[in-house]
Amino acid sequence: MADGVVLLDGGLSTALEAAGHDLSDELWTARLLLEAPDAVRAAHTAFLDAGAQVVITAGYQVSFEGFARRGLTHVETAGLLRRSVRLAREAVAGVDGPRWVAASVGPYGAVLADGSEYRGRYGLSTRRLVEFHRPRIEVLTEAGVDVLAVETIPDRQEVEAVLEVVAGSGVPVWLSCSARGTSTCAGQPLEAVFADAASVPEVIAVGVNCCDPGDVEAAVVAARAAGKSAVVYPNSGERWDARARSWSGGPTAGAGSARRWVEAGARLVGGCCRTGPADIAALADHLRPTPH
């Protein structure tokens, strides 16, 4: 990051759906950790081949509570979290150059599978959120990840809970919120949320993901105001119709948008939903330094 932009991968679900996998289950991509781990590894490899320097694991939807509803024990779920890291490691080992594995740490709202990660305000205590996040983060940390990708966090309260868990761990963390405009999805100013994270040494970057591309530049400004590097990986700009369960419209983000984000100060840049390997390849071409 000190030397320039680090390119993240795109939407893992997008790559898996393009390969023909049905992700309509409430466990989403995490189900394939159980049923089709080779497909997860192949999706990571596709993004690495496209130029991504960081791949984010398939653990976003993995939680002890969610998998317990499917009959898995605590030990079995911990094994799936470790598998998510191992699959990413295997993909990274198959390509040349410096590459890193980011362990996805999804929000509590992802477990509910009802869109709560875009609303926040779960009605839980901070202590309960700490209890939710701590076991997963401990397993992922022990699995030897390069960085924890705490992502799509909609609410300042949940940020506080995660910060309590990661503080003192010694493991690098990026914190990425779901946001609208200059606020979290729960309505708190991003600048205030990022300032909360600025006091935790483990946090190497703050920013947004799974948001409209038009909201990125304001988040970069807020991150820089908090004294942190910015991480941004928005959706393509297409719109999700929850009733029809389909995407509509066309993409509004592209390589030119990413250049503006970088000029504003973004240092970790990628894509989220509806961003596939071809999009990451275009970003790699556009953001690659021009030889002198």
Side-chain angles (χ1 to χ4, degrees):
M1 287 165 56
D3 296 331
V5 180
V6 177
L7 185 60
L8 310 181
D9 61 5
L12 183 60
S13 63
T14 300
L16 290 168
E17 286 176 331
H21 296 281
D22 179 7
L23 303 180
S24 59
D25 186 277
E26 68 174 17
L27 295 181
W28 202 34
T29 55
R31 180 174 56 81
L32 298 188
L33 291 171
L34 278 168
E35 300 177 5
D38 289 348
V40 175
R41 186 192 303 106
H44 289 319
T45 298
F47 281 118
L48 291 165
D49 289 343
Q53 295 165 280
V54 181
V55 289
I56 304 173
T57 66
Y60 178 89
Q61 204 89 358
V62 178
S63 70
F64 293 102
E65 291 90 337
F67 276 80
R69 292 197 294 268
R70 292 299 179 90
L72 272 71
T73 67
H74 190 284
V75 171
E76 289 169 330
T77 301
L80 286 177
L81 286 169
R82 288 190 287 268
R83 179 180 295 174
S84 73
V85 176
R86 186 178 71 251
L87 293 170
R89 282 277 178 226
E90 290 170 355
V92 164
V95 297
D96 295 328
R99 310 294 176 100
W100 295 274
V101 172
S104 177
V105 179
Y108 178 83
V111 178
L112 303 177
D114 65 354
S116 289
E117 60 263 56
Y118 306 107
R119 295 190 297 269
R121 304 289 184 174
Y122 307 126
L124 302 177
S125 68
T126 302
R127 179 56 42 200
R128 175 68 185 92
L129 291 171
V130 168
E131 292 169 352
F132 169 78
H133 282 290
R134 188 181 299 281
R136 292 190 306 156
I137 289 174
E138 287 178 347
V139 171
L140 292 169
T141 298
E142 291 165 2
V145 298
D146 297 310
V147 60
L148 294 170
V150 179
E151 53 184 357
T152 331
I153 306 297
D155 197 312
R156 188 177 188 178
Q157 181 193 26
E158 189 166 18
V159 169
E160 293 170 354
V162 172
L163 293 176
E164 180 176 334
V165 175
V166 302
S169 69
V171 178
V173 175
W174 82 55
L175 169 69
S176 180
C177 293
S178 60
R180 297 186 187 91
T182 59
S183 301
T184 67
C185 284
Q188 305 103 347
L190 284 173
E191 191 166 330
V193 175
F194 295 163
D196 292 342
S199 62
V200 178
E202 282 79 4
V203 178
I204 61 170
V206 294
V208 290
N209 76 288
C210 208
C211 63
D212 188 277
D215 293 332
V216 168
E217 286 187 64
V220 174
V221 171
R224 302 302 296 138
K228 288 291 184 180
S229 295
V231 53
V232 296
Y233 47 118
N235 297 334
S236 68
E238 297 165 72
R239 299 289 181 177
W240 173 250
D241 185 332
R243 185 182 300 275
R245 296 192 63 79
S246 63
W247 293 90
S248 63
T252 61
S257 299
R259 173 54 61 188
R260 292 195 301 274
W261 306 335
V262 170
E263 290 171 351
R267 286 297 173 266
L268 293 163
V269 178
C272 203
C273 297
R274 304 295 284 177
T275 305
D279 301 299
I280 296 303
L283 277 180
D285 288 340
H286 200 77
L287 297 179
R288 187 175 291 120
T290 303
H292 294 290

